[in-house]
């Protein structure tokens, strides 16, 4: 296909058509923020202890039947055991006074045979209280969280193929419908297993929305609008949904109702079907040139410019010469590329473990969980804005390592903060989230700049898979906090610091030409060689932005 941007240059770089499409597409990302992390509230464990059945016990014994245990130096009621009910009932009937007539430490204990009593101070009900996902069943909560990220992995693998086959617009709206149905059905879950299965579909549909809408935006918008869309638009509108989630959860404390309300947010996107266009670029690749021309002429009408009689000329449909396709085996063949890839995989896993670990940990922090979640989401806004500005001016390697050290370093510091200074610990955790979000946004562009054009999709795909493995692991890292609250911070902090050191061995790409071939990448020894006519200047979430040295016009890298 010929140069689409050149053929549609008459539309201009801005205008009502582009701005309308920009905002409508970005509103789609709000729904991914709504539905991405509601497990923070739905899977939170409220205060609980063994349920004491309605039997003849004095008030003294009813208050004493739950033993106390030390947790982080504090005496708290045991959550998973009680003194044996039959023994306590006999002692109560005989008139003994606990602590005075009976040494409680000598009494035999038993598990919570009659279930648990949960505090309703914060949550009226959630999956923990409904299916008793505590004590021996506590592992089921991080498992449920992981199923969401397994869905991300599956959705990432299939969404691209589906959008290439059926069109970007169709996949966006089908995925929205699938997300709505999955979350709604999840609200009717009759068991933990059904909840996990539906969470798999929620994750797959959600990442499919994100990827397909992102691709649609990059293909429909002009070069100038595309830069704003890929660097800030998608990320910030996701943050809007993420920041709104805790306020919805604050107003709706019952988990089934919360999920039903969240599922209905997808319904508001139905009218957008008539306002968001299909990608003309994709239509042309399918030979549907007339449909593509209709869309472009409609854009010209809205932008109040005159379209030429023939927009897409014959030469634009000429077949391109077949090029060799590359696979993962090509990455494994070369020692240099193999080492770079292994380092990139470690980077992506470490960053995703830290980012999603801190996101999921907000309900475990001291203070109000709804406010903690809101603060966690809010820290992402300046992170995306600052990272976009820094990527234009600073070397990638030093920049990424610096924020990895910030993110990991503050997590290692948290363990030394006394419990009485919980606001200091919260501030440090939010600083860590800021560092991880900065690294999260930078690693996409850095990785895309390292790989040559012929291997860029394969390399990014492998790194994206590593990221999913990291996000699947994150809930279990947070689960370690049930044994010792500082373990997750030590693990995430140490892994992040180690990845920042590994990052120093990757080649610098700032102001370097993008490599086009495998041979050029193999020549990288701290510097990147590349083509002579295109030089990198600024980046986006999924692909680097290049500037043509002759025309000085920004375009997305292949």
């Amino acid at each position: 296909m010929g140069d689409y941007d050149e053929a549609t240059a008459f539309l201009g770089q801005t205008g009502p058509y582009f701005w309308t499409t920009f905002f409508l597409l970005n509103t789609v990302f709000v729904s991914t923020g709504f539905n991405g992390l509601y497990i923070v509230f739905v899977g939170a464990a409220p205060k609980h202890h063994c349920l004491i059945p309605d039997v003849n016990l004095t008030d003294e014994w009813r208050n004493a039947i739950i033993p106390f245990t030390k947790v982080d130096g504090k005496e708290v009621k045991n959550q998973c055991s009680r003194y044996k009910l039959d023994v306590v009932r006999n002692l109560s009937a005989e008139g003994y006074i606990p602590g005075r007539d009976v040494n409680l430490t000598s009494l035999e204990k038993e598990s919570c045979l009659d279930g648990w009593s949960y505090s309703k101070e914060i949550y009226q009900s959630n999956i923990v209280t409904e299916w008793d996902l505590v004590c021996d069943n506590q592992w089921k909560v991080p498992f449920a969280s992981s199923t969401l990220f397994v869905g991300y992995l599956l959705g990432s693998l299939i969404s691209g193929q589906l959008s290439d086959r059926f069109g970007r617009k169709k996949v966006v709206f089908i995925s929205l419908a699938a997300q709505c149905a999955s979350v709604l059905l999840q609200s009717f879950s009759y068991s933990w297993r059904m909840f996990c299965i539906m969470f798999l579909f929620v994750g797959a549909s959600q990442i499919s929305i994100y990827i397909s809408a992102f691709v649609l935006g990059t293909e429909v918008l002009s070069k100038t609008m595309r830069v704003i869309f890929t660097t800030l638009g998608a990320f910030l509108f996701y943050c809007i949904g993420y920041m709104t989630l805790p306020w919805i959860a604050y107003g709706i404390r019952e988990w089934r109702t919360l999920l039903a309300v969240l599922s209905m947010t997808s319904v508001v996107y139905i009218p957008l079907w008539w306002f968001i266009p299909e990608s003309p670029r994709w239509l042309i690749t399918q030979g549907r040139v007339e449909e593509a021309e209709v869309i472009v002429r409609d854009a010209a009408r809205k932008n109040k410019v005159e379209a030429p009689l023939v927009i897409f000329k014959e030469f634009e449909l000429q077949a391109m010469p077949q090029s060799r396709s590359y696979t993962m085996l090509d990455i494994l063949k070369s020692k240099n590329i193999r080492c770079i890839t292994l380092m990139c995989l470690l980077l992506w896993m470490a960053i995703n473990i830290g980012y999603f670990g801190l996101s999921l940990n907000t309900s475990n922090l001291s203070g109000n969980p709804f406010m903690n979640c809101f603060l966690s989401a809010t820290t992402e806004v300046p992170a995306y804005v600052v990272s976009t500005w820094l990527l234009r001016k600073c070397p990638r390697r030093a920049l990424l390592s610096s924020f990895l050290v910030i993110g990991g370093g503050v997590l290692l510091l948290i363990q030394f903060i006394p419990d009485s200074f919980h606001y200091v610990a919260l501030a440090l955790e939010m600083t860590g989230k800021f560092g991880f979000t900065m690294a999260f946004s930078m690693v996409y562009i850095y990785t895309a700049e390292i790989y040559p054009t012929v291997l860029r999709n394969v390399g990014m795909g492998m790194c994206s898979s590593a990221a999913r493995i990291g996000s699947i692991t994150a809930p279990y890292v947070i689960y370690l906090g049930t044994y010792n609250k500082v373990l997750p911070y030590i693990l995430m902090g140490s892994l992040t610091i180690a990845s920042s050191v590994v990052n120093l061995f990757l080649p610098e790409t700032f102001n370097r030409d993008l490599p086009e071939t495998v041979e050029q990448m193999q020549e990288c020894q701290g510097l990147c060689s590349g083509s002579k006519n295109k030089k990198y200047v600024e980046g986006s979430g999924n692909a680097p932005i290049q500037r043509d040295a002759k025309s000085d016009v920004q375009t997305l890298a292949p």
Side-chain angles (χ1 to χ4, degrees):
M1 194 176 73
D3 192 337
Y4 174 88
D5 289 320
E6 184 179 340
T8 58
F10 64 89
L11 292 175
Q13 292 300 303
T14 58
Y17 171 79
F18 289 125
W19 280 112
T20 301
T21 305
F22 174 85
F23 282 109
L24 292 180
L25 273 175
N26 274 317
T27 58
V28 173
F29 295 115
V30 176
S31 75
T32 62
F34 279 146
N35 296 287
L37 291 166
Y38 57 70
I39 189 65
V40 168
F41 306 109
V42 171
K47 293 178 182 177
H48 56 278
H49 57 76
C50 291
L51 178 67
I52 310 303
D54 190 14
V55 294
N56 259 342
L57 290 177
T58 63
D59 291 339
E60 290 91 347
W61 279 108
R62 190 168 289 277
N63 292 329
I65 193 172
I66 305 297
F68 280 81
T69 186
K70 271 195 175 182
V71 177
D72 299 322
K74 293 181 179 178
E75 289 279 342
V76 296
K77 284 187 175 182
N78 195 302
Q79 297 179 331
C80 300
S81 65
R82 68 187 183 191
Y83 294 119
K84 201 164 185 180
L85 183 61
D86 290 341
V87 174
V88 170
R89 187 164 47 190
N90 290 335
L91 292 171
S92 175
E94 293 175 12
Y96 290 103
I97 305 297
R100 189 190 72 182
D101 303 325
V102 179
N103 183 5
L104 294 175
T105 57
S106 64
L107 294 181
E108 187 181 352
K109 296 177 185 177
E110 64 183 2
S111 59
C112 301
L113 302 178
D114 299 296
W116 285 262
S117 176
Y118 298 95
S119 167
K120 294 191 176 183
E121 180 184 356
I122 299 176
Y123 309 103
Q124 288 299 311
S125 72
N126 60 19
I127 63 172
V128 174
T129 63
E130 181 149 342
W131 297 313
D132 290 332
L133 305 184
V134 292
C135 300
D136 292 341
N137 288 324
Q138 196 170 7
W139 63 271
K140 292 183 177 181
V141 176
F143 184 92
S145 301
S146 291
T147 57
L148 173 73
F149 300 117
V150 173
Y152 278 8
L153 177 59
L154 296 176
S156 299
L157 295 174
I158 65 173
S159 62
Q161 299 177 43
L162 291 175
S163 63
D164 284 343
R165 172 120 185 229
F166 300 106
R168 284 65 163 118
K169 178 180 174 179
K170 283 183 181 177
V171 173
V172 168
F173 283 92
I174 289 173
S175 299
L176 280 167
Q179 177 183 258
C180 176
S182 300
V183 177
L184 185 61
L185 287 174
Q186 194 179 33
S187 71
F188 290 99
S189 297
Y190 56 82
S191 68
W192 168 77
R193 288 183 180 84
M194 180 179 175
F195 182 91
C196 292
I197 292 171
M198 296 316 303
F199 220 12
L200 192 75
F201 289 103
V202 171
S205 58
Q206 185 184 114
I207 198 67
S208 182
I209 293 170
Y210 196 94
I211 292 174
S212 302
F214 196 94
V215 171
L216 179 58
T218 58
E219 293 181 349
V220 170
L221 297 173
S222 64
K223 295 175 185 178
T224 301
M225 298 293 293
R226 189 186 308 151
V227 172
I228 304 172
F229 178 79
T230 55
T231 54
L232 284 179
F235 294 122
L236 290 182
F237 276 78
Y238 165 82
C239 286
I240 291 172
Y242 187 9
M243 288 188 290
T244 308
L245 170 64
W247 301 113
I248 298 175
Y250 178 80
I252 305 172
R253 308 292 183 94
E254 201 279 321
W255 76 276
R256 292 184 185 274
T257 307
L258 173 63
L259 263 58
V261 170
L262 291 177
S263 72
M264 290 301 104
T265 59
S266 299
V267 175
V268 302
Y269 295 108
I270 293 176
L272 299 188
W273 173 267
W274 290 275
F275 297 96
I276 294 177
E278 179 56 273
S279 166
R281 295 174 189 263
W282 177 80
L283 289 170
I284 291 172
T285 63
Q286 303 299 303
R288 296 158 63 178
V289 183
E290 291 182 2
E291 293 178 54
E293 284 210 4
V294 169
I295 293 173
V296 174
R297 291 188 187 281
D298 181 59
R301 180 182 59 80
K302 291 177 179 176
N303 277 357
K304 298 179 179 178
V305 295
E306 188 174 346
L309 293 177
V310 179
I311 299 175
F312 302 111
K313 295 180 181 142
E314 219 175 277
F315 76 89
E316 293 177 317
L317 303 176
Q318 293 174 358
M320 297 293 288
Q322 292 295 319
S323 59
R324 179 194 165 190
S325 60
Y326 287 80
T327 65
M328 286 187 289
L329 294 177
D330 295 286
I331 287 179
L332 300 176
K333 285 177 184 176
S334 165
K335 180 181 178 181
N336 189 21
I337 299 178
R338 186 166 62 243
C339 290
I340 288 175
T341 300
L342 288 174
M343 289 188 284
C344 287
L345 294 179
L346 176 61
L347 262 180
W348 282 64
M349 279 194 288
I351 292 171
N352 274 263
I353 287 174
Y355 175 82
F356 284 105
L358 291 182
S359 297
L360 294 170
N361 193 48
T362 52
S363 61
N364 299 324
L365 299 177
S366 300
N368 189 299
F370 304 102
M371 180 57 70
N372 292 341
C373 183
F374 176 74
L375 291 174
S376 179
T378 303
T379 57
E380 296 195 14
V381 176
Y384 288 130
V385 174
V386 173
S387 65
T388 301
W389 181 77
L390 289 177
L391 280 169
R392 299 170 184 260
K393 303 180 180 297
C394 302
R396 281 61 173 117
R397 188 167 53 190
L399 201 60
L400 183 55
S401 287
S402 297
F403 283 102
L404 286 172
V405 169
I406 291 173
V410 295
L411 294 187
L412 293 176
L413 283 175
I414 288 177
Q415 59 183 305
F416 301 108
I417 305 299
D419 292 334
S420 56
F421 292 89
H422 62 271
Y423 287 112
V424 177
L426 178 61
L428 285 176
E429 179 141 346
M430 294 303 111
T431 304
K433 180 67 181 299
F434 177 84
F436 277 111
T437 304
M438 292 283 287
F440 193 85
S441 61
M442 290 174 182
V443 74
Y444 276 88
I445 179 62
Y446 188 26
T447 307
E449 291 174 352
I450 288 174
Y451 282 101
T453 301
V454 294
L455 281 176
R456 193 164 292 128
N457 281 339
V458 177
M460 291 293 287
M462 290 180 65
C463 290
S464 181
S465 298
R468 303 306 166 211
I469 294 172
S471 57
I472 291 168
T473 307
Y476 294 101
V477 174
I478 300 304
Y479 178 62
L480 293 175
T482 60
Y483 300 101
N484 189 309
K485 71 174 186 178
V486 301
L487 278 179
Y489 298 112
I490 293 174
L491 183 58
M492 289 189 292
S494 302
L495 184 60
T496 306
I497 297 295
S499 67
S500 71
V501 176
V502 169
N503 179 62
L504 296 175
F505 293 93
L506 288 172
E508 181 54 71
T509 61
F510 181 58
N511 279 341
R512 301 285 173 184
D513 296 330
L514 286 172
E516 300 288 345
T517 65
V518 174
E519 292 73 20
Q520 290 171 348
M521 184 181 180
Q522 288 174 330
E523 293 170 3
C524 289
Q525 296 294 339
L527 296 174
C528 282
S529 302
S531 62
K532 302 299 181 185
N533 66 323
K534 292 182 179 179
K535 185 168 290 269
Y536 172 85
V537 290
E538 57 190 348
S540 69
N542 281 351
I545 308 296
Q546 297 174 337
R547 178 166 296 173
D548 192 287
K550 295 179 181 178
S551 61
D552 200 39
V553 175
Q554 294 171 336
T555 57
L556 279 175

